[in-house]
Amino acid sequence: MKTHSLNGSWQCRQRPHGDWFEGTVPGGVYTDLVAAGEIPDPYDEDNELDLQWVGKTDWEYRREFEIDETLVEQDRVTLRCEGVDTVATIRINETDIGETSNMHRIYEFDVTDALEIGTNEISVVFDSPVEYAIEQRDAYSHEVPVTQYPVEQPARNFIRKAQCHYGWDWGPCLPTVGIYRDIELIGHAEPRITYVKPQQDHDGNGVELTAVVGVDSPTNGEYAVTVSIAGSETTERREIAAGESELAVSVTVDDPDRWWPRGYGDQPLYDCTVAIDGADSATTRVGFRDISVVREVDGENAESFSFEVNGVAVFAKGANWIPIDAMYGGVSTDRYDQLLESAAEANMNTIRIWGGGYYENDYFYERCDELGLLVWQDFMFACSLYPADDTFVENVTGEVRDQVRRLASHPSIALWCGNNENEWGLEHGWYGDRTDSEVLFDEYDRLFESALADVVAEEDPTRRYWPSSPSSGIEATNPQNPAKGDIHYWDVWHGGKPFADYLTVEPRFVSEFGYQSFPSIELLETVVPEESLNPTDPLMEHHQRHPDGNGLILARMADHFRIPFDFADFVYLSQLQQGFAIKTAVEHWRRLKPYSMGAIFWQLNDLWPVASWSSIEYGGGWKALQYMAKRFFEDVLVSFHDDPDEESLELWVTSDVTDSIEGTVELDAIAFDGGVLASRSIDVTLDELESKRVATVSPAFADVPTESYLLRATLSADDYTGRNTAFFEPFKHLDLPGADVDVTVEGDTVTLESDDAALFVALSAPALAGHFSDNYVHLTPGETRTVSFTGEADGDELASTLGVTHLEDTY
Ligand code: BMA
């Protein structure tokens, strides 16, 4: 077999007669236009609005390439395109090779007869994705509703392209085109392996692994096929027919080390090699684990919904993932590392790939396998209904088949999910009710309750197919029934309800909930001028895509904090507020385990500088929420339940570990300007994975005004510690002293100390990439806290840029 990559430098031009400029593959037209100085940065100010013409234009990419006889003489030469966005015609040496119409498909074209020894030319001509979608919509038999966003282009549901390229409530509208994944020529005379799907059957200690292998062969023949893994090997002779086929060979492995989600064990990965004797071989990494989504009826219209790995019930804790950048050209693997390692460092064990972007690249899943991050994988449909005629169904079933074959080997993938919020929209009347839109319900069922379900059953019977998020299952009609399946809880934010409202909900699994905040000023200043640093400045509002976003942030701020009159304080408080909202929700739902078994907040990352629900801002800076997540996702959680109808607070310990825990919790009431006012030691014993209330504490615990002290609970047990802090009054009413926080820097270590209490002490190092091991901490009088900085910086650099603030500074 011989391969020839066509990645690299290409030329690009506006069709039909634009001037050629440098293009990069993999990449995209917006990135290439910026690099060529043809357009300004679309993220800057409101440039995006003047750049909508790009999506309404046809573009052409071309390049020359040299090949020799060793490739041309092969029986079959295939052009393999891992990702073409989206609608394009491919020509080699002026010969039409084929067309693409789905950004999510892996296309292979037979180009054997089109190639010549020496110089060849390939060109890829892209139709305007905006015009194409409109044509498809206008040609369709009836209207198919789609959710609209502030800055957008129409008919996104009629093109198989990242839906968020058409604008979203956190993202710009940049309907790009490009060859965004690898493109290569593959020449072969023997069978070629096109995919390997290792399927596991766990029986006691042994695992029977069946390698399901996709083969593409130019000829018929009989071959020895060997599968080897973990020192075990099976060789079988197989007839391989010309064309595409699939074969399966099994091997038994005795008691391999098991792969676990982060916090439950390690992530051993074994190389599984499939070899077709004398023809081709492929190695895939396998993690041995038995994974399932457990649904057990446990009440009237109630049913559990939880991940189980190797027989252990896993509380899924994590965040939703959106595409890493609105312009996918030039995105390095470092950015994936930074985001995914940040997720793991924040004690997350689950990432949901949301259905409005694209199926991530191989590197993403490899990192999730290594870091023990389970993946909830949506198929790429979101917040809309979709056509379902034969052409569309055939296109999307091909898409899902390609992606399941590509991804099924990853131990991290826990479940396949049909779409994001389409069932909710349909069943809750976003798009009209059943009476006047029966055809829409039929089309929904055809796509998500049969066509895609069937593809998954065929291609990967080892994982559950979940029709939609949220859903209560194919058989149910209320996708937002909290007692069944997963829900998206948006009453706090979209519904404008106070944070305490989270405490009124007892769900099985929450796969979306969120609260907005502003990113750092340093980031905002990369896209708006200093004089625009005001939430409702027009340019700032352009970087806030939720119509009532700023209003919702300000409104709730009045509940909890003293209103800031300085933009920096506003940003700081917006982040505290966001963190506190999500903390309130997650701690509550974790206390409810095993009834509740999942809390996945919206959203982990941003794809441009914007006010949004993210915990990590564009560029990788950790917001307060990310630091708080590291604490409220701790494997052993100490938390306070603050029931608004009760005066007292409940103290809980919740364990996500498979050891029993025996220890004590020290409960202290600490004055903001002095020592410990009252103290109690509580013995605690917990079984594995248990959540338990261990005490209640009333405002009378300390005989002073509740505005003047905080409660701190500190768990110490053999291998586990934990702590948390609570207040009997809202932050805005706390009688905080003006604390001076002393900061000492030695190398990458920062030591904080304060004579008086200082709440939410926030360190920032804007000029440096990196984050702190802890931040937004509460310092009690005389307490010393040491944190480390992860970035590449020596002590002087860190000290010179270090900023510190705390809540009372905003008073
Ligand atoms: C849900 C998500 C996203 C959206 C988010 C915030 O709808 O599925 O579509 O961005 O809420 O509004």
Side-chain angles (χ1 to χ4, degrees):
M1 192 159 73
K2 199 145 167 52
T3 63
H4 183 98
S5 173
L6 295 173
N7 290 355
S9 167
W10 287 53
Q11 291 186 301
C12 178
R13 73 168 175 179
Q14 180 173 349
R15 295 275 298 176
H17 308 302
D19 297 335
W20 292 104
F21 56 89
E22 173 85 11
T24 302
V25 169
V29 71
Y30 275 104
T31 342
D32 289 335
L33 284 164
V34 171
E38 299 282 332
I39 62 170
D41 178 351
Y43 297 169
D44 215 5
E45 303 196 356
D46 57 1
N47 290 347
E48 171 202 353
L49 301 178
D50 307 329
L51 295 171
Q52 294 307 303
W53 63 270
V54 174
K56 297 175 182 170
T57 300
D58 298 351
W59 294 91
E60 179 173 0
Y61 277 78
R62 77 170 182 192
R63 68 162 291 173
E64 289 189 344
F65 57 95
E66 300 293 326
I67 52 174
D68 61 26
E69 66 289 345
T70 60
L71 183 64
V72 175
E73 75 195 14
Q74 299 286 335
D75 291 14
R76 164 94 54 76
V77 183
T78 299
L79 176 69
R80 181 177 168 89
C81 309
E82 303 252 343
V84 176
D85 178 13
T86 296
V87 182
T89 304
I90 302 176
R91 288 198 191 90
I92 289 185
N93 301 334
E94 303 301 319
T95 308
D96 275 5
I97 295 297
E99 293 179 348
T100 67
S101 63
N102 189 326
M103 142 179 216
H104 310 299
R105 291 210 65 175
I106 298 166
Y107 287 96
E108 295 201 344
F109 302 103
D110 183 344
V111 296
T112 314
D113 305 332
L115 296 172
E116 294 148 14
I117 295 173
T119 307
N120 294 259
E121 182 184 281
I122 180 169
S123 91
V124 180
V125 175
F126 289 94
D127 293 358
S128 148
V130 172
E131 303 308 335
Y132 170 85
I134 292 170
E135 282 153 25
Q136 298 294 312
R137 178 199 62 193
D138 296 348
Y140 199 67
S141 56
H142 53 268
E143 198 216 330
V144 182
V146 57
T147 301
Q148 251 98 21
Y149 290 100
V151 179
E152 62 150 21
Q153 291 295 343
R156 63 176 169 83
N157 52 344
F158 276 86
I159 184 171
R160 295 310 299 146
K161 179 178 173 47
Q163 299 289 273
C164 63
H165 283 176
Y166 285 72
W168 218 263
D169 59 0
W170 35 258
C173 177
L174 300 172
T176 190
V177 301
I179 303 165
Y180 78 109
R181 296 232 163 111
D182 294 345
I183 181 167
E184 64 174 346
L185 295 166
I186 304 168
H188 58 120
E190 307 285 346
R192 172 175 69 96
I193 294 173
T194 53
Y195 59 83
V196 176
K197 297 184 294 178
Q199 297 179 350
Q200 304 176 26
D201 182 3
H202 290 246
D203 169 14
N205 289 340
V207 181
E208 183 182 65
L209 182 127
T210 301
V212 178
V213 184
V215 181
D216 170 25
S217 179
T219 53
N220 298 330
E222 191 201 285
Y223 295 83
V225 181
T226 302
V227 175
S228 50
I229 182 167
S232 301
E233 186 167 296
T234 298
T235 298
E236 291 176 7
R237 297 207 61 77
R238 289 299 166 87
E239 284 296 329
I240 296 180
E244 291 180 15
S245 62
E246 192 175 84
L247 56 86
V249 173
S250 301
V251 58
T252 302
V253 182
D254 291 332
D255 202 16
D257 295 337
R258 295 303 193 270
W259 182 95
W260 293 92
R262 200 210 56 70
Y264 292 80
D266 296 333
Q267 294 76 37
L269 296 167
Y270 293 81
D271 282 345
C272 171
T273 299
V274 175
I276 300 180
D277 182 17
D280 193 9
S281 73
T283 296
T284 309
R285 288 193 313 181
V286 166
F288 286 101
R289 89 283 178 263
D290 190 5
I291 195 163
S292 60
V293 177
V294 177
R295 300 176 64 197
E296 280 158 0
V297 175
D298 55 5
E300 178 70 30
N301 210 9
E303 191 182 73
S304 71
F305 187 93
S306 63
F307 292 150
E308 190 176 274
V309 181
N310 305 327
V312 172
V314 171
F315 188 103
K317 42 192 182 179
N320 282 268
W321 175 278
I322 63 171
I324 206 167
D325 204 298
M327 299 189 285
Y328 43 56
V331 173
S332 67
T333 54
D334 300 354
R335 292 175 63 184
Y336 282 90
D337 292 337
Q338 195 269 336
L339 286 170
L340 294 171
E341 287 165 12
S342 292
E345 186 188 335
N347 297 314
M348 298 184 188
N349 62 24
T350 303
I351 298 285
R352 171 173 174 243
I353 299 194
W354 166 79
Y358 40 77
Y359 305 88
E360 270 299 348
N361 58 26
D362 296 339
Y363 189 77
F364 173 96
Y365 301 95
E366 287 158 13
R367 289 311 328 267
C368 289
D369 295 343
E370 292 158 5
L371 291 165
L373 294 170
L374 293 170
V375 174
W376 172 305
Q377 177 70 54
D378 277 10
F379 295 149
M380 293 304 140
F381 306 87
C383 300
S384 172
L385 296 182
Y386 287 82
D389 61 8
D390 293 351
T391 312
F392 191 87
V393 171
E394 196 228 323
N395 194 357
V396 295
T397 47
E399 162 192 328
V400 167
R401 198 178 296 285
D402 289 353
Q403 294 300 336
V404 172
R405 285 176 175 176
R406 174 173 77 99
L407 300 174
S409 65
H410 292 284
S412 55
I413 297 182
L415 143 153
W416 306 108
C417 174
N419 64 71
N420 175 70
E421 294 187 350
N422 301 356
E423 184 184 333
W424 185 17
L426 192 67
E427 296 287 358
H428 284 221
W430 300 359
Y431 311 119
D433 59 28
R434 188 177 278 275
T435 43
D436 55 20
S437 42
E438 195 61 51
V439 61
L440 298 176
F441 281 75
D442 294 348
E443 290 185 329
Y444 179 89
D445 295 353
R446 179 175 187 207
L447 262 180
F448 297 110
E449 305 209 339
S450 59
L452 300 189
D454 297 349
V455 174
V456 171
E458 259 173 61
E459 293 293 339
D460 182 11
T462 70
R463 288 184 183 87
R464 180 178 291 280
Y465 170 75
W466 191 239
S468 182
S469 184
S471 181
S472 300
I474 282 185
E475 70 293 344
T477 55
N478 175 13
Q480 287 282 46
N481 168 5
K484 212 174 169 189
D486 69 321
I487 63 165
H488 288 186
Y489 195 72
W490 281 109
D491 288 18
V492 175
W493 182 260
H494 289 298
K497 295 216 175 127
F499 300 170
D501 185 75
Y502 284 127
L503 306 176
T504 66
V505 188
E506 302 205 348
R508 312 321 294 257
F509 195 107
V510 191
S511 45
E512 273 196 23
F513 59 106
Y515 212 83
Q516 275 203 351
S517 70
F518 271 64
S520 65
I521 290 185
E522 293 71 31
L523 179 66
L524 289 169
E525 285 180 330
T526 64
V527 287
V528 299
E530 196 178 345
E531 60 274 18
S532 290
L533 292 178
N534 178 301
T536 52
D537 173 279
L539 290 179
M540 189 66 82
E541 286 199 337
H542 182 74
H543 289 263
Q544 161 61 278
R545 285 305 157 88
H546 185 280
D548 329 320
N550 294 346
L552 283 164
I553 291 174
L554 279 166
R556 204 54 61 214
M557 207 173 269
D559 286 2
H560 301 282
F561 301 103
R562 300 191 188 178
I563 296 299
F565 294 101
D566 163 86
F567 186 69
D569 289 345
F570 168 78
V571 169
Y572 166 76
L573 291 178
S574 79
Q575 295 200 8
L576 291 191
Q577 168 167 278
Q578 177 194 34
F580 185 60
I582 306 304
K583 176 180 190 287
T584 305
V586 171
E587 292 184 349
H588 170 56
W589 294 326
R590 289 192 63 190
R591 286 190 290 268
L592 288 178
K593 71 177 291 188
Y595 184 83
S596 289
M597 286 300 281
I600 316 286
F601 68 73
W602 182 267
Q603 65 202 72
L604 180 74
N605 57 314
D606 276 330
L607 42 54
W608 75 318
V610 69
S612 84
W613 298 266
S614 70
S615 61
I616 299 179
E617 64 183 34
Y618 184 71
W622 282 31
K623 292 180 176 179
L625 169 56
Q626 186 67 13
Y627 287 108
M628 293 185 188
K630 186 171 178 177
R631 297 196 285 263
F632 60 62
F633 278 150
E634 262 166 341
D635 296 337
V636 177
L637 174 72
V638 177
S639 69
F640 290 92
H641 177 54
D642 180 1
D643 183 336
D645 307 331
E646 298 293 331
E647 253 215 331
S648 296
L649 298 175
E650 295 177 356
L651 180 60
W652 287 69
V653 179
T654 300
S655 163
D656 281 356
V657 299
T658 49
D659 303 333
S660 59
I661 294 172
E662 196 144 338
T664 56
V665 173
E666 289 306 320
L667 180 63
D668 299 316
I670 304 170
F672 292 143
D673 60 359
V676 177
L677 300 162
S679 191
R680 210 166 110 198
S681 179
I682 302 146
D683 292 334
V684 171
T685 52
L686 260 80
D687 292 336
E688 62 168 43
L689 305 174
E690 189 182 8
S691 179
K692 195 154 101 176
R693 187 183 64 202
V694 295
T696 57
V697 51
S698 84
F701 180 47
D703 189 15
V704 296
T706 47
E707 293 78 10
S708 66
Y709 71 91
L710 59 81
L711 284 175
R712 172 164 287 168
T714 310
L715 167 73
S716 37
D718 300 348
D719 303 323
Y720 301 101
T721 59
R723 81 158 133 204
N724 211 327
T725 305
F727 307 84
F728 281 112
E729 302 296 336
F731 300 116
K732 63 183 179 180
H733 293 163
L734 297 177
D735 184 10
L736 291 175
D740 291 326
V741 177
D742 293 335
V743 182
T744 322
V745 180
E746 257 175 71
D748 63 2
T749 303
V750 180
T751 304
L752 303 166
E753 188 168 0
S754 171
D755 296 342
D756 290 307
L759 303 186
F760 295 116
V761 177
L763 292 168
S764 59
L768 303 171
H771 59 270
F772 296 91
S773 55
D774 201 355
N775 207 355
Y776 297 87
V777 297
H778 300 316
L779 275 182
T780 56
E783 177 187 355
T784 299
R785 188 78 69 91
T786 299
V787 300
S788 58
F789 182 68
T790 63
E792 302 293 314
D794 65 29
D796 298 343
E797 276 173 306
L798 185 55
S800 64
T801 183
L802 199 63
V804 60
T805 188
H806 61 88
L807 184 59
E808 199 276 339
D809 282 343
T810 70
Y811 276 22

